[in-house]
Amino acid sequence: MIVLLIIISIAAATDILTFKVKNIIIIFGIISGLYFQFIDYGMKGILNAAAGIVLSILCLWPLFCFHALGAGDIKLLSVVGCFVGPLMALECILYAILIGGVMSLGKMLYEGNLIQRYQYLFQYLRKVIRNRCYEPYQDGMHQKREYGIHFSIAVLISVVICWEGIS
């Protein structure tokens, strides 16, 4: 778990500085997760890691399609899934989404645009339901990625919470 925390911490620092999670960090994380799973559990560990990766991607894909999460965030959570397997990956995903929501709420309160953002969200949902078609969520107020939150921080906090639960 210490290796996982280091990888996620590096990813979060990179995200804060560049607004991206670098693929080299993801590749190193997946290779490390596979290595530790194999050392601890053999081929069963490799299958557990693969299930953690796949579950993370499948759970988060809809959020990516609606532009609620970036690809780097999904890949980062797949690294978590690789290290901890599917069940704990699901727990980390749920915590990360909850923490990300709190971070977003705090940011909207700080910026003073909470009502404006929720009005747009409800208009968007009404439009999607009425037209019965998917459209990416873009609120027009914050088109640049710099206006979002650093979800990698939510991932880091979720891993710490989950680690505390198993130690």
Side-chain angles (χ1 to χ4, degrees):
M1 282 301 272
I2 291 176
V3 173
L4 176 60
L5 285 173
I6 292 169
I7 292 167
I8 305 254
S9 296
I10 292 169
T14 304
D15 183 23
I16 290 167
L17 294 172
T18 66
F19 295 94
K20 289 189 80 160
V21 175
K22 306 281 185 195
N23 283 334
I24 191 72
I25 297 168
I26 302 301
I27 292 167
F28 180 76
I30 296 289
I31 291 170
S32 298
L34 289 169
Y35 172 78
F36 287 113
Q37 285 278 8
F38 182 74
I39 293 299
D40 289 344
Y41 305 107
M43 285 309 293
K44 186 177 178 184
I46 297 293
L47 294 174
N48 193 46
I53 292 169
V54 170
L55 177 77
S56 298
I57 292 169
L58 290 176
C59 285
L60 297 168
W61 186 255
L63 294 174
F64 173 75
C65 289
F66 282 95
H67 296 191
L69 275 183
D73 301 319
I74 295 172
K75 292 184 279 187
L76 189 58
L77 277 159
S78 72
V79 169
V80 173
C82 184
F83 269 84
V84 301
L87 294 178
M88 185 165 287
L90 186 57
E91 186 177 341
C92 286
I93 288 168
L94 293 173
Y95 278 120
I97 290 171
L98 179 64
I99 293 162
V102 170
M103 290 170 62
S104 295
L105 180 62
K107 183 170 181 158
M108 287 184 283
L109 289 170
Y110 176 77
E111 293 176 347
N113 61 8
L114 179 71
I115 293 171
Q116 208 175 3
R117 297 290 300 264
Y118 275 104
Q119 285 174 336
Y120 182 84
L121 174 64
F122 291 129
Q123 289 172 359
Y124 166 78
L125 291 173
R126 196 172 25 245
K127 183 179 176 183
V128 168
I129 292 168
R130 182 178 38 233
N131 296 340
R132 292 193 177 114
C133 68
Y134 151 80
E135 290 182 25
Y137 179 82
Q138 296 181 10
D139 68 5
M141 294 167 49
H142 297 95
Q143 295 290 332
K144 295 182 181 179
R145 64 180 174 206
E146 291 88 10
Y147 291 110
I149 62 164
H150 296 286
F151 192 71
S152 58
I153 295 169
V155 174
L156 177 60
I157 294 168
S158 76
V159 169
V160 170
I161 290 169
C162 289
W163 187 17
E164 283 299 312
I166 61 168
S167 48

